[in-house]
């Protein structure tokens, strides 16, 4: 695996989520962020999985697909706190 080239998480970024074809309106549209770190966190923690699939992040001249966004989020250099991993169905055990 190649090491990630130095990446400036403080650079502004644009996020282009994929449209959800099954719905009349996609939940999210194009969005511009003050920092790439905010864009990456939003993509990983807020976008529905079907919007993230096919989405891309543009930072200056570089584009990152879903896998690239995930790599940035999981990198040791990611400067923001990550959301703790939780079960998607919190009441699943209370059945």
């Amino acid at each position: 695996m190649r090491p990630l080239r130095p990446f400036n998480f403080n650079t502004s970024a644009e996020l282009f989520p994929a449209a959800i074809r099954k719905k009349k309106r996609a939940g999210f549209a194009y969005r511009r962020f003050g920092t790439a770190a905010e864009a990456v966190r939003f993509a990983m923690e807020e976008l529905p999985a079907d919007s993230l699939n096919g989405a891309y992040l543009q930072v200056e001249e570089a584009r990152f697909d879903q896998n690239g966004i995930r790599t940035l989020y999981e990198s040791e250099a990611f400067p923001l706190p990550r959301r703790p991993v939780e079960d998607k169905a919190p009441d699943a055990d209370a059945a």
Side-chain angles (χ1 to χ4, degrees):
M1 181 176 191
R2 276 190 327 209
L4 188 63
R5 293 185 313 194
F7 181 81
N8 185 353
F9 282 99
N10 293 317
T11 303
S12 64
E14 298 172 285
L15 181 63
F16 298 86
I20 302 172
R21 289 181 175 81
K22 294 179 183 176
K23 297 181 182 178
K24 289 186 178 182
R25 295 183 339 174
F28 299 92
Y30 162 85
R31 194 159 173 188
R32 185 168 178 80
F33 293 85
T35 69
E38 293 169 328
V40 168
R41 181 167 64 179
F42 179 84
M44 294 303 300
E45 296 181 2
E46 303 297 330
L47 277 183
D50 52 356
S51 286
L52 182 58
N53 185 21
Y56 71 91
L57 176 72
Q58 182 146 351
V59 182
E60 294 177 334
E61 299 298 318
R63 281 191 180 185
F64 300 88
D65 63 6
Q66 176 183 5
N67 293 329
I69 295 169
R70 184 175 312 282
T71 299
L72 290 171
Y73 183 74
E74 293 173 351
S75 80
E76 290 180 12
F78 186 72
L80 302 176
R82 293 172 187 88
R83 177 183 292 166
V85 178
E86 298 175 3
D87 292 335
K88 292 195 178 200
D91 294 313
D93 293 332

